[in-house]
Amino acid sequence: MSGYPPTETTEPDYRRLWAGGVATAVVAALVVVVGLLIARGLFGAEVLAPKGNGIWGNANTVTYALCAAAAALLATGLMHLLSLATPAPGQFFGWIMVLITAIAIVLPLTLSVRLEAKIATALINLAIGAMITMLINTMAGAARRRRRGRDATQPTARWDNGPPYYS
């Protein structure tokens, strides 16, 4: 997916890419839930909600999980766009996602909340960003099909429909 010119006679299968993107969105939402359970349940960090709201927190937990799922779908769209427009989509996708993940890590560290909440949120954002980056990049590589038609590496047929010859 990242080499240019392509060495294989394959092309992106966008249905499979988007199916993988939807599955990645589910995993991203679950990463949020697990991260919040660990932060709140094991370490007592007040991530997105005060301690009085319990280990599951409040509606912010659902919002955080939905935002993570939306981020996975946006990343899938980015990979789709890069696959259409760039010679090395995997490399561009990787760099863009690393920088977006860095922003998501640094941003909570700048808030005026307790230190454990800052660190827990930054670590959850790191887990979400790393997971989305790896899964979507892997899905893009796996979501390929053999190219059909003239672009495929096949014997070149003569115009008179005689036996194929190799050019």
Side-chain angles (χ1 to χ4, degrees):
M1 188 80 194
S2 61
Y4 186 77
T7 58
E8 298 180 28
T9 58
T10 61
E11 62 189 3
D13 182 347
Y14 295 112
R15 281 193 306 182
R16 289 182 68 201
L17 174 66
W18 280 98
V22 169
T24 302
V26 172
V27 174
L30 291 173
V31 167
V32 168
V33 172
V34 170
L36 291 175
L37 286 173
I38 291 170
R40 292 178 184 153
L42 296 179
F43 299 107
E46 297 178 3
V47 180
L48 301 178
K51 266 189 179 173
N53 287 331
I55 196 169
W56 288 103
N58 58 11
N60 288 333
T61 300
V62 174
T63 303
Y64 196 5
L66 290 175
C67 286
L73 294 175
L74 287 171
T76 304
L78 174 65
M79 179 56 89
H80 187 145
L81 180 65
L82 291 171
S83 295
L84 293 171
T86 64
Q91 291 177 7
F92 287 110
F93 179 79
W95 274 104
I96 291 168
M97 290 302 295
V98 163
L99 295 170
I100 289 171
T101 301
I103 292 167
I105 293 168
V106 172
L107 192 61
L109 298 175
T110 65
L111 301 175
S112 57
V113 295
R114 296 181 59 151
L115 180 62
E116 64 267 10
K118 291 179 183 185
I119 293 172
T121 306
L123 290 174
I124 293 169
N125 289 349
L126 170 63
I128 295 165
M131 180 276 305
I132 290 173
T133 302
M134 289 186 284
L135 282 181
I136 297 298
N137 218 353
T138 302
M139 289 303 110
R144 299 194 63 80
R145 62 176 178 239
R146 277 190 89 34
R147 186 174 293 156
R148 294 183 210 141
R150 289 185 182 195
D151 293 336
T153 303
Q154 301 175 14
T156 306
R158 287 195 237 178
W159 289 105
D160 64 356
N161 293 329
Y165 67 94
Y166 294 93
S167 52

